[in-house]
Amino acid sequence: MEIHELVVEMKLLERRMTLFEEKYGILSEDFYEALTTGKLARYDEHDESRNDFSRWKGIYETWQRRKQAYREDLRKLDVSDALRVQPAY
């Protein structure tokens, strides 16, 4: 995946995470830490939150993988080489 494609995909994932962050009132990073340390177990009995949490977790993990790939790819390049400069019309 090209570096610019990673950026576009991360931004799309961030938009999806924002919906959950606004609904539940916490940032994705804090949600993920709480979920993976068992602090949200009491919500397992609620169908809506269980489904939302599963989707949110998957989106966040995908975003983390894309961000890691972006960082690794960017380390291999000079930032000036990674820029997508559009011609002015």
Side-chain angles (χ1 to χ4, degrees):
M1 189 176 279
E2 297 279 333
I3 211 164
H4 71 278
E5 293 171 318
L6 290 167
V7 170
V8 169
E9 188 169 345
M10 284 188 301
K11 291 301 176 185
L12 291 171
L13 292 165
E14 287 170 11
R15 289 181 195 122
R16 293 177 67 193
M17 288 189 298
T18 297
L19 296 175
F20 289 114
E21 292 171 345
E22 290 173 352
K23 181 176 182 177
Y24 290 100
I26 62 171
L27 295 175
S28 294
E29 178 181 346
D30 300 314
F31 155 76
Y32 189 78
E33 190 273 330
L35 184 72
T36 57
T37 58
K39 295 178 182 173
L40 301 180
R42 68 182 173 145
Y43 295 99
D44 285 347
E45 62 194 51
H46 305 288
D47 287 341
E48 181 182 0
S49 59
R50 185 175 56 242
N51 290 334
D52 280 355
F53 290 179
S54 177
R55 284 192 294 273
W56 193 0
K57 178 181 181 275
I59 293 166
Y60 184 74
E61 288 173 342
T62 302
W63 177 81
Q64 286 181 310
R65 287 190 303 273
R66 297 301 183 266
K67 187 172 183 179
Q68 181 63 34
Y70 168 83
R71 294 273 177 232
E72 290 172 6
D73 288 353
L74 194 59
R75 269 189 231 116
K76 298 173 191 171
L77 299 171
D78 186 291
V79 172
S80 64
D81 293 332
L83 286 175
R84 292 185 63 202
V85 180
Q86 300 295 322
Y89 295 99

